[in-house]
Amino acid sequence: MERTTLDGHWTLEAVAGPPEVDAHRDPVQAVVPGCVHTDLLRAGRIPDPFDGDGEAATQWIGDTVWRYRRTFDWAGGTGERRHDLVADGLDTLATIELNGIVVGTTANQHRSYRFPVGHLLRPGANELVVTFDAPVPAAVRLSELHGGELPHVNHHPYNALRKNASNFGWDWGVDVATSGIWKSIGIESWSGVRIAAVRPLVDVDGTTGVLTAHVDVEFAGTSGAFSQAIGSAPVASAGGDAGAGLEARITLAPHHASAAHPGSDTAPPGRDTDTEDTAGRIVGARPVATGPDRTTGSAVVRLEVPDVAVWWPRGHGDQPLYDVRVEVGDDVWTGRVGFRTVTLDTAADAGGAPFLLRVNDRPVIVRGANWIPDHAYLTEMTAERYAERIDDAVEANVNLLRIWGGGVYESDDLYDRCDELGILVWQDFLFACAAYAEEPWLADEVEPEVREAVTRLSPHPSLVVWNGNNENLVAYAEWGWRPSLVGRTWGNGYYRSLLPAIVAELDPTRPYTPGSPFSFDEYLTPNDERNGSVHIWDVWNTKDYTAYADWQPRFVAEFGFQGPPAWSTLTAVVHDEPLDPDGHEMLVHQKAHEGNRKLADGMRGHLPAPTTIEDWHWAAQLNQAHAIRFGMEWFRSRTPDNTGMVVWQLNDDWPVVSWALVDHAGHRKPVWYAVRQAYRPVLSTVQPTPVPEPHPWAPADEVAAAAAARDAAGLDVVVVNAGGAPVTDEVVVERRAFDGTVLAGTTATVSVDPADAVRITLPVEVAVPQDRTGEVLVVTGSASGRRVHDFAEVVDQRLGRRPFSVDVAATPEGARVTVSATAYVRDLALFPDRVVATARVDEGLVSLLPGESAVFEVARAAGIDVEALAGPLVLRHAGDLLP
């Protein structure tokens, strides 16, 4: 196999579209992989869509037909070798021409394409042209052609295309409907046989690892099941049994840091017997069976690994990986696997139905975050950016990422790093917040897309759940879709039939769920809190964040609360004069419906109403942190009835006011520090003492009595253990005045099993303050760490304006800031990006009592003005919001 890359320099020109096209008909230099927006930006042809109101000024791009063109010299000849044009990713409706002849058309961003082109190649110069239909009008046209728009959120009918849904804009996303060659493209030249696909599925039987490698091959001289040829010359089929004498040879060996990266072909050669050699390699081979059409073949090779090193999720053990090398003829495929088992327990119990992941038969309490595309221009993502964002998750104590269904099947850079770090992955299939047609015009693209995605991702041990869709089942049940569909298909056949069938065929080692949320019972609404998974959005949309405590969910797959990005991130793109939450450009970067009103409503009763833009920014960030921490600690206190949560969302795809923990520039918002605290593997949280709930049919007097009992309930310290081993926690609880005086205290020692929680009911003298506005509860555990519980909201507390001293010192990376409290300091936070935009800080949301100190390490800011770090807008705490 030889690949002639066609990546690199192309030209790009506008072909047809709105009036703005006339100013852009002159070709510009383009870079492949890439997209139209980045090429136009590089050429200086357009304003930055992220900046100011640039989004509106560039809407015409998604309404335009674009053409990529390049020439290349061909000296490879045609001969007996086969030559395939392989496009790993085209966005989205493309027509491909080679030397003036149409090679093929494509209609799916989420899959690759392969076209035989040997009969079209000529010695010397060749011209390749790829023309992309305008995605926005194409989505409208296809909708109208097939009966009108099906229900969807947002303003474009993205559900008519197999394209990144959020690319058309979302309630956190910029509307930049892209076109382009977004992954590598090239010509593969080969003879004999090529490996078309490998699924190295794993199991663990006692102490033995079992690898079952499913190998699919294609024979040269055929057009084959793995190719699509439109408008090309006929290709002769293979004569006789093309697979006669061929073997699939497998080599399995422990992976080492210095070993070849997956995708290389530099692993050691395989052997033809099922043996283990002195290097720890296990090898085997099986004959390739030719398919009935004689164009393809397959083999299944099973290897056993005695005393296998088992792969564990983060916090439960190590993540040993094994290199897999597959050889068929002269072709080689390499990858990595990790040996583990995974199941999902949704069997009905006394409380409804759980949603409990088990890895290697051990329950895993999920502390997750939802992942969206980390850049609106997918081609701007690099391995380094993926690594930084996943490190953000790891350092926030996250153990699962849910790849959300409105984005893309992500780069192997993401899954590889999750494999290495033990971060579990929940993978949505790409259907989100919309009804999807099941007729051939769309379904014919869905099946090959799903088959390719399942096959490509099957080696990754981090991947533990396949999920059918995001919110489409609950939308049908509760969003009013059913009467509007009047009998039209809407995707149910995908979620209940096609997708589970493909998973069962290609990857039966992992559980499949029809959707999120889902109650695992046909007679329940999909978002039933006592069954399966739920999404909780009534809190952000209509209620105070304390209403999280009204929920008793078994598993929360989505919940979130908004806050602005870092000051430097916001002011880099918003230029309103004066800067105002409701300024024009500010609202361009606030995509949520009535988002600013909800932010204001959410602060009410918790924080003073801000009077300056600086205080608005800090208050909105702080309230986001308080809201998410409140919800997380409530859900975790219900362990083991609650088996986990996935906060919305880890990241942003552009600079925006959103639910993200980490903004687009990579700044960790205050909510990130709150999540890190609430996601501690061993957590202590202060919660009301439970009061039995009345039956739904209870008389009014019993309901009133229960409400009164809740109001009078005391407090418990709940110690939660999400780790893989039992813990003993020695807990000290003190009620203290803001001046540090200990007013009452108690101690307890508890043992907590994995995936469980223990409650400590506090004595009245500890739980009940004499002055709610001037006292706190300090909980210190030998395993669970320190937690300060406030008896009152910030707006009601007697917090000082500047109850601390500050010492700053320069370091090679930036600075060290030491803050020493002279009275109670609530939620101390440092914002060094206000001084140097690239600066990062290691700590945040620290509460201190007199005599205590906190140290903040500032990095990525060598030479920073250290004195500026003590400024009142850089070093902030809850008390400086008070009048």
Side-chain angles (χ1 to χ4, degrees), residues 677 680-686 717-720 727-734 736 746-752 758 760 762 777-789 852:
Q677 295 160 10
R680 286 178 58 98
V682 182
L683 171 75
S684 64
T685 177
V686 178
V717 171
V718 188
V719 181
V720 189
V727 297
T728 297
D729 197 24
E730 297 174 355
V731 182
V732 178
V733 185
E734 296 176 327
R736 301 177 69 174
T746 188
T747 62
T749 300
V750 295
S751 295
V752 191
V758 172
I760 305 166
L762 298 179
L777 205 60
V778 180
V779 182
T780 307
S782 58
S784 57
R786 183 176 186 268
R787 174 76 169 93
V788 177
H789 172 78
E852 297 176 342

Side-chain angles (χ1 to χ4, degrees), residues 22 69 129 212 222 247 303 367 383 407 418 423 523 550 605 672 870 878:
D22 292 336
R69 186 190 305 269
V129 176
T212 305
T222 73
E247 286 188 325
L303 298 178
R367 294 166 284 134
C418 289
I423 299 297
Y523 300 97
D550 295 339
W672 182 91

Side-chain angles (χ1 to χ4, degrees), residues 41 46-59 174-176 377 568-577 579 583-591 654-657:
L41 274 169
I46 60 171
D48 185 350
F50 291 5
D51 188 59
D53 200 8
E55 178 188 26
T58 54
Q59 286 298 287
V174 61
D175 183 354
V176 284
Y377 310 132
S568 61
T569 303
L570 189 66
T571 56
V573 296
V574 174
H575 315 291
D576 298 319
E577 291 289 348
L579 199 61
H584 172 68
E585 291 187 7
M586 185 76 82
L587 292 179
V588 169
H589 294 80
Q590 164 59 281
K591 294 297 185 181
W654 75 307
V656 65
V657 180

Side-chain angles (χ1 to χ4, degrees), residues 512-651:
Y512 169 83
T513 70
S516 182
F518 190 65
S519 295
F520 298 93
D521 192 301
E522 295 301 318
Y523 300 97
L524 296 172
T525 178
N527 207 37
D528 184 273
E529 67 175 339
R530 301 305 297 148
N531 292 274
S533 59
V534 297
H535 292 190
I536 298 177
W537 286 112
D538 61 338
V539 172
W540 158 251
N541 284 310
T542 63
K543 297 182 178 180
D544 185 82
Y545 68 70
T546 55
Y548 281 128
D550 295 339
W551 286 76
Q552 299 181 38
R554 305 301 296 270
F555 185 97
V556 187
E558 282 189 20
F559 71 108
F561 212 90
Q562 263 203 356
W567 183 263
S568 61
T569 303
L570 189 66
T571 56
V573 296
V574 174
H575 315 291
D576 298 319
E577 291 289 348
L579 199 61
D580 183 87
D582 294 315
H584 172 68
E585 291 187 7
M586 185 76 82
L587 292 179
V588 169
H589 294 80
Q590 164 59 281
K591 294 297 185 181
H593 176 63
E594 297 185 340
N596 278 5
R597 179 190 62 77
K598 294 172 185 178
L599 284 174
D601 289 348
M603 294 182 207
R604 194 169 294 117
H606 300 287
L607 299 171
T611 58
T612 68
I613 185 63
E614 290 83 5
D615 279 0
W616 173 85
H617 182 265
W618 166 225
Q621 286 196 327
L622 182 60
N623 202 57
Q624 179 189 27
H626 285 178
I628 293 302
R629 181 162 56 195
F630 180 93
M632 283 184 164
E633 293 196 9
W634 167 250
F635 301 143
R636 289 199 68 189
S637 76
R638 297 186 56 77
T639 306
D641 186 68
N642 178 280
T643 58
M645 68 205 72
V646 190
V647 66
W648 187 271
Q649 67 217 54
L650 176 67
N651 55 330

Side-chain angles (χ1 to χ4, degrees), residues 342-344 357 464-467 503 507-513:
V342 57
T343 58
L344 179 63
L357 272 173
V464 293
V465 175
W466 292 107
N467 178 58
V503 170
D507 185 16
T509 68
R510 294 174 174 89
Y512 169 83
T513 70

Side-chain angles (χ1 to χ4, degrees), residues 22 67 126 135 224 408 425 463 556 607 731 749 841 847 855:
D22 292 336
R67 180 166 292 148
N126 291 256
V408 295
V425 174
L463 178 56
V556 187
L607 299 171
V731 182
T749 300
V841 63
S847 293
V855 178

